[in-house]
Amino acid sequence: MERLGVYQILGPTNCNDPHIPDYCADYLRQMSQAMGVEVYAAQEEDFVAQDVHVFFIGSGGTAAPFSHVCGCVDGPYVLLTVPAYNSLAASMEILSYLQRNGKQGEIIHGTVEENARRLLAILRAAQARKAIASMRMGAIGEAITLVASCADHATLKQRFGADLVVLEVQELVDEYHKGGYPENEYTRALKASGYDPVEMEKALNVYGAAKRLVEKYGLKAMTLRCFDLLGSIGTTGCLALAILNAEGIPAACEGDTRSMLAMTVLYQLTGQPVFMANPSQLDRHNSEMIFAHCTLPINMPDSYELTTHFESGLGVALAGELAPGPITIFKCDETMERYYVQDAELVASLHRDDLCRTQLHIRLPQGTDYFVTAPISNHHMICRGHWADVVEEFFKQAKSE
């Protein structure tokens, strides 16, 4: 199990209830259960080495002790409280002290479940930022026709810390002609589906070629200018990207490097497969939209049928069926300053003949004006669950640097 060490601070034993240490230990056990992360009272050395620094204010009388130990780390300072023993009052004193000294801090106070959700958001955001900062991303052909979807390489490196490697599509074509792909749960299930074996083999060989380039260049995310494949090898990258995404390699289509970045951010924050989709129809009056594309991660739908790529009628693509429920819609650019996120609800999966193969009818409680007034280009990322608070924390941490 993942672990999170907190710096526990208790008041003087001569004026505190003797049950406080046991109470605090039990509270940390409850937090561990709610978070799915072992939360424990850490020694200072372990505490300092972590990406997130949480001070566990277990009682009153802790402001002075905090002022003596807080210098072991830089802010922002997270103050986790308990609903008893003057923990909140002491944390307010501490936060005032921090602010008076020009430092940032936050009090986490609520139910165990609320506190766990907030701590998880802080932890996931810090972990995602660290992971992306060491990443090498790859563009197998950058976007040509998408005039607002190419990330500026220098800005990507400066703001996110990630490197972008640009490869020629021909390198993937050469790999494709070598043939071969990994045998795994996805390739075995696809070959057993009964779909046209010739087309399936071509599509899986694109997956094999892309997988070898990912390994050759040490890529942790990629995008493919997939329309180039139509003329050169007579198939598409839809299935290849669907499998790579399921394997934890964020894989965008159309050479869209901004979408590759947004897909990577959302995947790192949530651990959920991410669907890169076109906003295809909008109903402003009812705050509803339809999103559709052919590159659904193969492990995201509840069920799927195999068909062709929509525009070309070639290759193999997934027409997925997802059960209604909570989803998140997200997009960002490489500046760390522009992003969009909204918790939304999937109403139904559609099966229209005039849209890309996987089609999601979505209700957006905050409305749809953004999409027609100031969108961050075309493609937007969708994953299951409500994660807006985690996304907001990711960008909040970036701004606090």
Side-chain angles (χ1 to χ4, degrees), residues 46-107:
D46 292 340
F47 174 77
V48 170
Q50 295 181 142
D51 299 321
V52 171
H53 299 119
V54 179
F55 288 85
F56 181 36
I57 311 304
S59 71
T62 48
F66 174 87
S67 69
H68 295 143
V69 301
C70 65
C72 67
V73 294
D74 296 325
Y77 297 86
V78 179
L79 309 176
L80 175 63
T81 66
V82 294
Y85 298 116
N86 289 321
S87 171
L88 177 59
S91 297
M92 292 167 63
E93 185 75 12
I94 290 169
L95 183 58
S96 180
Y97 163 79
L98 289 171
Q99 292 173 341
R100 189 180 66 196
N101 287 278
K103 298 181 182 297
Q104 293 183 324
E106 172 186 353
I107 295 173

Side-chain angles (χ1 to χ4, degrees), residues 147-333:
V147 296
S149 296
C150 287
D152 180 79
H153 299 194
T155 304
L156 177 62
K157 176 65 175 177
Q158 179 186 12
R159 300 298 289 130
F160 281 85
D163 291 311
L164 180 62
V165 178
V166 179
L167 309 174
E168 296 294 330
V169 176
Q170 186 60 45
E171 188 169 356
L172 182 131
V173 172
D174 293 341
E175 283 291 336
Y176 168 85
H177 287 303
K178 294 177 184 178
Y181 48 84
E183 289 285 345
N184 55 43
E185 60 178 306
Y186 304 116
T187 57
R188 286 191 289 269
L190 288 163
K191 288 193 292 183
S193 67
Y195 196 81
D196 185 327
V198 174
E199 291 302 318
M200 179 62 68
E201 196 70 9
K202 289 164 67 176
L204 290 178
N205 276 320
V206 176
Y207 160 62
K211 180 83 169 184
R212 290 192 293 275
L213 292 184
V214 164
E215 293 171 349
K216 177 180 178 180
Y217 291 99
L219 306 180
K220 300 299 183 183
M222 62 157 287
T223 182
L224 169 63
R225 198 170 67 212
C226 43
F227 279 91
D228 288 24
L229 303 181
L230 299 177
S232 58
I233 56 177
T235 190
T236 69
C238 302
L239 204 60
L241 302 180
I243 300 172
L244 287 169
N245 272 306
E247 293 180 316
I249 304 293
C253 59
E254 299 185 48
D256 184 341
T257 47
R258 279 190 171 168
S259 287
M260 174 187 65
L261 172 62
M263 181 180 285
T264 302
V265 170
L266 195 57
Y267 173 72
Q268 287 294 326
L269 288 173
T270 69
Q272 297 293 314
V274 180
F275 179 36
M276 168 184 170
N278 291 321
S280 300
Q281 187 174 333
L282 182 150
D283 179 347
R284 298 180 76 172
H285 178 73
N286 292 308
S287 296
E288 295 182 349
M289 294 183 65
I290 296 172
F291 290 80
H293 225 189
C294 296
T295 58
L296 183 75
I298 197 169
N299 63 337
M300 188 171 178
D302 299 295
S303 63
Y304 62 83
E305 295 181 357
L306 297 176
T307 181
T308 60
H309 174 243
F310 171 61
E311 287 92 343
S312 66
L314 299 175
V316 184
L318 274 64
E321 182 77 28
L322 283 75
I327 60 160
T328 301
I329 304 173
F330 169 69
K331 187 64 177 292
C332 69
D333 69 11

Side-chain angles (χ1 to χ4, degrees), residues 26 182 363:
D26 182 63
R363 182 174 297 114

